[in-house]
Amino acid sequence: MSNLTPLFNECVEIVTKELGSSIKIVHSKQDIPPYFIQDTFIKECSQLYLNLVNLASFISQIKPYYLQVNDEFSKTRTNSSHLSLEEKNRIDEEFKIKIQQVFEKLKFLQSYQRKQTEATEPKQKKGFISSLFGIGDMSPEQLYFVTIATHRTSVLKFLHETATTVSKSFESIQRKRYNREKQLSLLNFQNIDDDLNEDGDPFQNTYQIDLIEDESTTSGQDFFQLSQEQLQELKEENQELLDRKTNQLKQVEKLHHSMVDIINLQSEISTHLQTQSEQINLLIENQDQVDQDLRSGNQTLRKATHRNKRGSNFIVTICVVLGFTILILDYIVW
């Protein structure tokens, strides 16, 4: 047989030259199965992950400026990188809103995936023997749905863990900032006693004015030449002022102890809240797995009930047929 390849190549060149761009390649739709899921789930998950990455980078950028203490020295600085107390509070509110939106979106995606999994549960049609003994292979459609459900569940779990990590990182620097501010306020409050001691007697100027007036009125008489009644009055006034100052110092000390107790209670409450938040996050993570286990368990129970029902009906039918057969044979024999 002669080689027809050159002739075939010439025919192809002629057809290509004459038809040119009018040749269109028709893609067969049989390559795409009819049960193929086409939705925007992966696209929305990618966008959600991008938002989490942006939040994490934002936290790393503002962390050194966010943890700066707002003291008197920082108020006098004109550096643009410095964050005021109002700006920090605004950052807290905006981050809380953003992370809440992320969790709401994640909850919506979880609900969507749960409904889709329930709608695409495999409904196997088995024969009597396979249903009786649990024998049967999954079709490509069922394998596809199971694989998609497993993949999307893993994606949602990863997004939830990422969102939890980002939220915890911001909560840690927020807690550190609050602790620093509390320590600074406590240190400023403890300096009140030192300021009072350094100031000395706050009524010293009043004493000096009284002495100057007494000296001007007595025309150079000595302070010790006062009468006994005036000395007694001065002693009483001095004792009264000392009592007032002592009471004020006692009140300040009580207030100091109260503030220390309040700070300790706040730290304990924050610790308990952190523990509860971790437990809540753990419960949320286990919720999807529990739901999936419940669905698979219910499906297995339904299949087992159906198999047992079919098996019992088959056994009852065989018993009835055998009974009638025995009766007929007994009637024929006798």
Side-chain angles (χ1 to χ4, degrees):
M1 183 176 179
S2 61
N3 187 9
L4 300 178
T5 303
L7 180 61
F8 176 75
N9 292 331
E10 291 178 0
C11 294
V12 171
E13 291 178 358
I14 293 171
V15 172
T16 305
K17 290 179 181 179
E18 291 181 356
L19 297 179
S21 61
S22 62
I23 300 176
K24 296 182 180 180
I25 300 174
V26 179
H27 296 281
S28 177
K29 295 184 179 180
Q30 296 179 357
D31 297 336
I32 301 175
Y35 53 82
F36 186 75
I37 299 175
Q38 295 180 351
D39 54 8
T40 59
F41 181 84
I42 299 298
K43 183 178 179 180
E44 292 180 359
C45 289
S46 301
Q47 185 65 34
L48 188 62
Y49 179 71
L50 182 61
N51 294 335
L52 290 173
V53 171
N54 292 332
L55 286 176
S57 62
F58 175 73
I59 292 171
S60 62
Q61 289 176 2
I62 67 166
K63 182 177 180 180
Y65 309 111
Y66 184 82
L67 293 177
Q68 288 179 355
V69 180
N70 296 96
D71 52 0
E72 296 296 332
F73 177 72
S74 62
K75 293 179 181 179
T76 59
R77 288 180 295 183
T78 59
N79 190 3
S80 60
S81 62
H82 174 69
L83 294 176
S84 62
L85 185 60
E86 291 78 8
E87 292 175 346
K88 292 179 181 179
N89 294 332
R90 194 180 305 114
I91 288 173
D92 294 342
E93 294 177 358
E94 291 179 356
F95 183 83
K96 187 183 295 182
I97 293 172
K98 292 290 184 183
I99 201 67
Q100 187 176 2
Q101 291 176 354
V102 168
F103 278 109
E104 288 179 355
K105 184 67 175 179
L106 189 60
K107 186 177 180 181
F108 171 75
L109 292 175
Q110 290 175 350
S111 177
Y112 169 77
Q113 179 58 28
R114 189 181 302 111
K115 291 179 180 178
Q116 187 178 17
T117 303
E118 292 175 355
T120 58
E121 283 184 352
K123 298 180 180 179
Q124 300 180 1
K125 295 182 179 179
K126 300 180 180 179
F128 174 73
I129 302 299
S130 61
S131 63
L132 182 62
F133 296 100
I135 302 173
D137 296 330
M138 297 180 68
S139 63
E141 181 179 357
Q142 296 169 358
L143 287 173
Y144 173 77
F145 287 141
V146 171
T147 306
I148 287 294
T150 305
H151 170 68
R152 292 188 174 185
T153 303
S154 301
V155 170
L156 291 174
K157 186 176 181 181
F158 169 73
L159 290 175
H160 187 272
E161 291 177 355
T162 306
T164 304
T165 303
V166 173
S167 179
K168 286 183 178 180
S169 63
F170 186 78
E171 287 178 359
S172 64
I173 64 172
Q174 189 179 22
R175 195 179 302 110
K176 188 180 294 184
R177 170 205 160 194
Y178 289 157
N179 291 332
R180 288 185 178 181
E181 290 180 353
K182 289 176 183 177
Q183 291 176 0
L184 181 62
S185 62
L186 182 60
L187 291 174
N188 292 332
F189 185 77
Q190 288 176 348
N191 291 330
I192 292 177
D193 295 337
D194 297 335
D195 295 336
L196 290 175
N197 292 328
E198 291 177 358
D199 292 339
D201 191 357
F203 301 97
Q204 185 177 2
N205 295 327
T206 306
Y207 294 157
Q208 292 178 356
I209 293 172
D210 293 337
L211 290 174
I212 292 172
E213 291 179 354
D214 292 337
E215 289 178 357
S216 61
T217 54
T218 55
S219 301
Q221 291 182 357
D222 194 9
F223 175 75
F224 295 101
Q225 295 179 358
L226 295 174
S227 62
Q228 190 68 25
E229 295 178 356
Q230 291 177 349
L231 290 174
Q232 186 66 27
E233 289 179 359
L234 290 175
K235 288 181 180 180
E236 291 177 356
E237 290 179 359
N238 189 17
Q239 186 65 33
E240 184 179 357
L241 292 174
L242 288 175
D243 293 337
R244 289 180 182 177
K245 185 177 179 181
T246 304
N247 293 328
Q248 290 178 357
L249 290 176
K250 288 181 180 179
Q251 292 177 359
V252 169
E253 187 176 359
K254 289 180 181 179
L255 184 59
H256 170 69
H257 290 299
S258 300
M259 290 186 66
V260 172
D261 294 336
I262 291 171
I263 291 173
N264 293 330
L265 289 175
Q266 287 180 350
S267 62
E268 292 179 0
I269 291 172
S270 63
T271 303
H272 290 301
L273 289 175
Q274 184 179 2
T275 305
Q276 291 179 358
S277 64
E278 292 177 356
Q279 293 176 356
I280 290 171
N281 292 329
L282 183 61
L283 291 174
I284 292 173
E285 290 176 359
N286 295 331
Q287 181 180 0
D288 296 333
Q289 186 65 31
V290 170
D291 292 338
Q292 188 175 1
D293 293 339
L294 286 174
R295 287 195 298 271
S296 61
N298 291 329
Q299 186 177 0
T300 305
L301 287 175
R302 287 195 297 269
K303 291 179 180 179
T305 304
H306 183 68
R307 287 197 298 268
N308 293 331
K309 185 177 180 181
R310 293 286 298 274
S312 62
N313 292 333
F314 179 72
I315 292 172
V316 169
T317 304
I318 291 175
C319 291
V320 171
V321 171
L322 290 176
F324 277 109
T325 304
I326 292 171
L327 289 175
I328 292 171
L329 291 175
D330 184 68
Y331 178 76
I332 292 172
V333 171
W334 292 96

